[in-house]
Amino acid sequence: MQQDCEVLGVTSDIIISNGPLPTTAIHQEEFREPSMDILERELPVVMDGQIPLGDLLSRVMQSIYAELAELAETMPNMSDSARKRTLADWVVKTKKQVVKLYAVAKWARDAETVQKCMNITAFLMTQNHQFEGAMDGLKYARESLDPARLRNHDLLTSLDVLTTGSYLRLPTCIKKSMIPIDSLTDLQIGQTLAGMEDVIRYRLRVFELVPVEMSQYRIVNGRVYFTVPTLFEASLCLRGAQKDEGWFFVHVEFLINIGGDLTGLQEFPRIPAGVMKRHITDEADARLAFYLPLPEEVQLDSEMPRRPQLPEGVIDTPLVRIFNFLQMMSLSYQLEILWYQAERMRSLGWADYLTVQMDQNRKVMTVSYWIRRPPPQLPGRQRFKLPLLGGTITISIVEASGPIQTGPGPARSPKARAFAKLQRKSKLGSASPSDEVEGLRFQVLWEPAKGAFGVKVPAEESISNDLLRVDANNLDFENLLRSVIEGHAHSVLKSFQYQLQHGPTRTVFSPLGIVSLVKDGACPYLMQYSHIHSCYYTEGVQALRVHLCADEVVIMTIDSRTGRMNLRDTGDLAAAGRGPRFTAISDQLNDNPTLLFEALTRLRLHTITDLAEQKANYLGLQSFRRRNFKQEELQKLGPSTHGTLYIQLSNFPSHYLVLVITDECFRYALITTRILTESMFSHMIMEDIAWLDFDRIHGEDIMITAHSSRSDLRIGKRKRDSDDVVAKDSTVIEVDLGFNLETPVLRELYSYCCARVAYMNVERQFKLRGIPFTHVNPTSGAPVTMELAHIQSSLARSVPALCVQSEHILSGAPAAEAAMPNIRVIPLNWWSEKRAQVVTSVKLKYVQQPMGKTAGTSTVIRPSKRIIYDTTQAVVSFLSENVNTCVDEFLEEWARVSKMVVIAREVAQMAKESSWEDVRLLSFDLQTVEFAYASDYTVSISCEDQLSSMGGNFDLRFSRCRRWQNGEKQDKEPDQFNPHDDAEPFLRNILRHGHGRLAPSLHRLVTLLRDTLPIATELEEIRKKSEQDGRSVDTFAKAAGWYRLLDADLKHAIDFRLMSGRRVAILDGSYSLFDPAASTTPSTSSDTDDTLGLRPIPQFTEIVTGVVRDMVSSERVQAGKIAVVDVGVICDTATVRDLGRAIHAKVLEHNFSHNSSF
């Protein structure tokens, strides 16, 4: 009784306490209906068109808050009527939205019932589909049962009855049914299997060609099991023990493991069964018996096709054919599994963004992801063209051939190739196999779409080959697709990072930590999608983290499913109004990704301005983001200005403290404005701009150092951890190098500007010219004496001197390299009734004593009223009587003396540094420099018009002085003519073109003068000698290092060209170095006398060769110091005089003998 109750689901206690149950009660317990909760869980969940009410409520509230915040910012500037009208419109519109939201909330009460109805509808549709399938199956079964009722035709018995009138034999089925067959014993079965195993082992080891890939096998239970890792395990058996007996297929198991989502795993078993097993068996047996002869009874049938015969010298290799077949089956099986997984992903929400295609041969599967819908074509609007897909993954079955040098065959290791050759030679000898092994493998190719996201992603650098492969032990297409997508997203974000850090925005985003690639784990969509569809997703996605300013950070991600870029803010939660801004930016970036850099720069600017404006409001200051300035007025703030915030001084309405937003930090300026009343729109202009240094204002010591090549000063940079130790009890307000503007800092700047307005006239010149400067206070720390108290203003110590960098004020000025980095500008008498003056002091990089008749003997000389030169300290002071023109006067005087100082100093050092003992300085008086560059050859250099846009001119005067011999001057007056005087127009350009770097240009000039001196002197002697002999020749300079000796008939010439390494090329003047073909073209006899230009010197090459041979044989020149070329000779400067004189003499002698002139 107890057992019966347990079977019925009723306990014995109930029976004892209540008595025996009736039959109806037991029947009801057996067929108890499930509860409603169980039935509802069986219903499919359909979320078509349903969205959470919380999301809608949050979206509406954020929108209302953003609009309200915008009204709070804009309404204070409106009139009273405009504010009322705007507020009324906003209330009406918002009320409509709230009413709609209320209606939706009321309707949401029935959302659960509607959802249940949708689930029931989906369940009924599925059930209806199943009913239709069952009806179709019954109909098919009825139609296929009729042919099964017919009996099989006994053709042989029918023929016997037709021909003989009676049957000759009994049907085989009758014999088998009447005469029983003796069953084999276990011992006989074991002996049969053992004998079959011996036969199989013998055939495999002696004459069956086994592919190397199937060399791993075992023989057991009368058959052989071949195992090919990651492909299959198959068993074969022989039809008999005879040599010509063939193989037959027994079973196969595909050595694969399916990973990822295991839904539908039963559709792809490892061991095929049923119809699939039958098809594989039939095809495998057909391939194994492809060359076996048919049975005799089948051969008698004339309609049966004959099997192919093996050619002579060809041996059947059935194991090779079965390997090729099963290998292809295994790979195709794996490809079908991957295709099924891809199609399942499409059914789980990827259908709109993923396409899967398979070719007709089912060997190539192509998957395209991040599919985009074509944008609507609007007339008159041109859109940025983006590809309609993100990338393509192609999985194909290809043949893996080995290297060409190894011969034909599949790709194998050297050991496997050697084993295959030995097996083939031992088993086949000189014969050929009937089939060759086909090496197949999977090939996974990833091709990103060109221009996706507006960047070019190289496929070889984005994803490693280890990820682009099909793993038979873990067949997971989703994992492969996500690996590719993650690599693609990483490459795109990395490209964005590189462009941000090295593109036009590199000054903003290049510092370390500003732009970085991170793993973003908080991806709401992926978490929700994974929860709904029970799919596996990685914890983090690739994200680009961009630090805007302070604690404001923007995270940019790429959705793995849709391929859309998303931007979100991780800053202060109170800024709820930024949600629509980020949504709009994300939509713009998805339409045109090239706007990323502009969008991030604009977003960064808005964020910085919002924070600065918030600090100004905390202090109760009146601030404006824009003023009525024209664009050309805004350019006065510098080219690095990207945004401004104007804080109006309450006591001085025409003055503003301007927070200038640059790439790296804030710059602070005090501007003076004026309204143009005559303009139609009352434009404002900036009459004066004063840049502020907060460190100096706060009273910290400033150390002036040479700035980098950047034109903008680093404003707000404090001297930290330097050689000066700040006292522990001193109050220091730290200024962040970025845009973390503290409220005390802004208060200090505003207070200083109120006290600084009246003292900007002294600095006006530098501001109008855009020259940055630094305030220095030389009297800091010094006690104020009674005398200073009477002669100075009480604000004198608050208005310090100015220090500018030479690279800024002397930018474009001549000889800027002669000045030390710091130039001090001190305004004087600005506190008294006297006329204000400005003293600009420049310390030269070296001390050079003036010399000559006009230099004097004092250590301080004053060449003019406005110039004072301290020779001991090398300090030049420029005095300006007019403050408004102090910079112009300084540059004018600097241009007159700086170059002469540099030239005098370089000449004084040339004898020591260049080992030129005969180079010496003769005269220097800040106006003119005269020096000897070789022996008694001198040059006098002066400059003029140095402020011109062309860089000014240099005046070179060449002459000769008395020779020095044993340290004393010779009394004999030298010839005053210097042959370099003819090349003066070319030589002056060397100094003129070296406008920015005068010292190297002077060295080049002296080197050129010394190297060309032998050429110039020798040509001058040839000219003089020709005049004495009654011949007229002309010598002149064609360039600084190019001299020409021209014949009187103006038809022949010899060129002397200075080359590098103190070499000289003596060439035929008719030969052009720029067009040799034109120079060597011979002239016809008819136009010989009428040809314009120079003619080749007759037999000039033979003349040069003979002269060189004579000079080498006479040891006047060394053989290695001279080289003969096609149209001349190359020698050094030491032998140019002897060689040039000899060549000229030989040319004269040859032309005289042939009655031609030179």
Side-chain angles (χ1 to χ4, degrees), residues 138-157:
L138 292 175
K139 183 179 179 181
Y140 175 76
R142 182 180 64 80
E143 293 177 353
S144 59
L145 283 177
D146 292 340
R149 298 172 182 173
L150 300 177
R151 297 179 56 188
N152 294 331
H153 302 284
D154 190 358
L155 297 179
L156 295 178
T157 304

Side-chain angles (χ1 to χ4, degrees), residues 1032-1036 1044-1054 1069-1070 1088-1089 1091-1097 1157-1158:
S1032 176
V1033 295
D1034 190 11
T1035 61
F1036 55 91
R1044 172 166 289 180
L1045 179 61
L1046 184 62
D1047 189 17
D1049 58 356
L1050 306 180
K1051 297 297 183 180
H1052 303 88
I1054 300 176
S1070 63
T1088 300
D1089 297 334
T1091 302
L1092 298 177
L1094 297 176
R1095 302 175 184 174
I1097 300 176
S1157 62
F1158 183 87

Side-chain angles (χ1 to χ4, degrees), residues 371-578:
I371 303 299
R372 297 167 55 95
R373 294 181 179 178
Q377 298 295 333
L378 300 178
R381 181 178 178 183
Q382 186 176 3
R383 290 181 174 268
F384 183 79
K385 293 184 179 180
L386 285 175
L388 299 180
L389 71 160
T392 303
I393 303 175
T394 304
I395 305 176
S396 57
I397 302 174
V398 297
E399 185 175 355
S401 302
I404 300 177
Q405 57 270 21
T406 61
R412 292 170 174 169
S413 64
K415 181 179 179 181
R417 288 196 298 269
F419 179 76
K421 290 181 181 179
L422 292 175
Q423 181 186 205
R424 181 171 180 174
K425 184 176 182 181
S426 61
K427 294 181 179 180
L428 302 183
S430 59
S432 301
S434 60
D435 298 273
E436 296 291 343
V437 177
E438 298 175 359
L440 302 178
R441 64 177 179 87
F442 276 118
Q443 183 183 41
V444 182
L445 298 178
W446 173 61
E447 182 180 359
K450 294 182 179 179
F453 297 99
V455 297
K456 182 178 181 181
V457 178
E460 62 276 3
E461 297 181 3
S462 302
I463 302 177
S464 62
N465 295 328
D466 296 336
L467 298 177
L468 293 177
R469 66 184 185 89
V470 177
D471 187 5
N473 296 321
N474 185 22
L475 290 176
D476 188 359
F477 176 78
E478 183 178 1
N479 184 29
L480 174 63
L481 178 62
R482 290 198 173 277
S483 299
V484 172
I485 289 177
E486 184 177 359
H488 194 175
H490 176 78
S491 300
V492 171
L493 296 178
K494 187 176 181 181
S495 178
F496 287 156
Q497 180 189 20
Y498 180 83
Q499 295 182 24
L500 286 172
Q501 294 179 344
H502 298 83
T505 59
R506 59 182 178 273
T507 55
V508 177
F509 301 106
S510 60
L512 184 64
I514 300 297
V515 182
S516 58
L517 289 174
V518 296
K519 279 283 189 178
D520 183 24
C523 188
Y525 174 78
L526 292 181
M527 296 173 62
Q528 180 182 4
Y529 188 82
S530 175
H531 175 72
I532 294 176
H533 299 283
S534 300
C535 298
Y536 171 77
Y537 289 96
T538 57
E539 296 181 355
V541 296
Q542 292 288 341
L544 188 67
R545 181 181 183 274
V546 181
H547 181 261
L548 298 179
C549 66
D551 59 345
E552 299 295 330
V553 177
V554 173
I555 300 296
M556 186 180 73
T557 59
I558 297 179
D559 194 298
S560 301
R561 183 174 67 105
T562 62
R564 292 180 61 85
M565 291 186 290
N566 299 316
L567 268 71
R568 59 185 179 87
D569 186 13
T570 61
D572 190 1
L573 294 178
R578 298 180 186 175

Side-chain angles (χ1 to χ4, degrees), residues 860-870 875-878:
V860 178
I861 64 174
R862 193 164 186 174
S864 65
K865 182 180 179 181
R866 296 187 297 181
I867 299 176
I868 302 174
Y869 181 37
D870 187 352
V875 176
V876 182
S877 298
F878 302 88

